[in-house]
Amino acid sequence: MSDIISSEVPILVAMGAYWRDGLVLGIRRAQRSNYPGFWTFPGGKREYEETMLDTLVREFSEEAGLHVIAVRAKVDVTQYTRGEMAYGHEVPQSCRVTCFTITEAAGLCRGVEEGTAAGWFTASEMLKLDLIPSVRAYLEKNWVGSGQSYLGNR
């Protein structure tokens, strides 16, 4: 594997793994996005002067129609460089992904973009889907035995 050196400033992304009754909320990405048709957690790019938590709350509302009420204090952060291979896929742009574990949200879950889908999955079901690399990394780090035991972010 070759070392990739980049001076590109990474895009900052916040996403949330919302767990309810042993299931996690997944969103299928639109065809016009990076990783078209892949599954992810609700989230997106940080806007100017937003904190990562602000980004999470805004994106969760926009993508899933849910209002974030509570998150765990510890988060997972994964950084990718454009061109590197992550779980068999070339990374299209440098990014730093902060994944929060959401413990409570309110509202009715809805997909808001044409061509997207939403669903509730066990970790083992989610790991069988085409996932963006940061979601796969989060699930593999926080689940043991393909979804049988949640480690959480303690």
Side-chain angles (χ1 to χ4, degrees):
M1 181 155 112
S2 65
D3 290 330
I4 298 172
I5 299 173
S6 174
S7 60
E8 180 180 23
V9 175
I11 293 171
L12 301 178
V13 175
M15 64 174 51
Y18 177 34
W19 295 94
R20 188 185 71 190
D21 300 325
L23 303 175
V24 66
L25 177 61
I27 303 286
R28 184 180 301 154
R29 294 179 60 88
Q31 290 301 314
R32 67 181 184 284
S33 64
N34 289 330
Y35 298 104
F38 278 60
W39 288 85
T40 187
F41 300 137
K45 298 174 188 171
R46 189 185 79 151
E47 293 183 357
Y48 182 69
E49 293 190 350
E50 276 185 331
T51 66
M52 294 308 285
L53 187 56
D54 291 340
T55 302
L56 173 72
V57 170
R58 176 182 51 77
E59 288 284 350
F60 221 77
S61 176
E62 290 174 3
E63 291 191 2
L66 295 171
H67 175 70
V68 174
I69 296 172
V71 299
R72 290 191 191 267
K74 186 178 177 191
V75 297
D76 290 316
V77 178
T78 310
Q79 185 146 337
Y80 298 98
T81 302
R82 177 196 307 265
E84 82 173 275
M85 295 300 289
Y87 296 98
H89 302 283
E90 184 175 336
V91 174
Q93 61 192 101
S94 297
C95 59
R96 183 174 188 260
V97 181
T98 302
C99 187
F100 295 85
T101 300
I102 298 170
T103 57
E104 188 177 355
L108 296 174
C109 180
R110 58 178 166 73
V112 294
E113 288 190 50
E114 185 177 328
T116 64
W120 293 92
F121 303 93
T122 64
S124 58
E125 290 169 338
M126 192 87 174
L127 285 166
K128 293 176 185 173
L129 301 174
D130 287 327
L131 301 174
I132 66 169
S134 54
V135 170
R136 186 165 301 282
Y138 169 89
L139 288 170
E140 289 180 357
K141 179 178 179 181
N142 291 286
W143 281 83
V144 175
S146 298
Q148 302 307 310
S149 175
Y150 179 58
L151 292 175
N153 289 343
R154 296 183 190 123

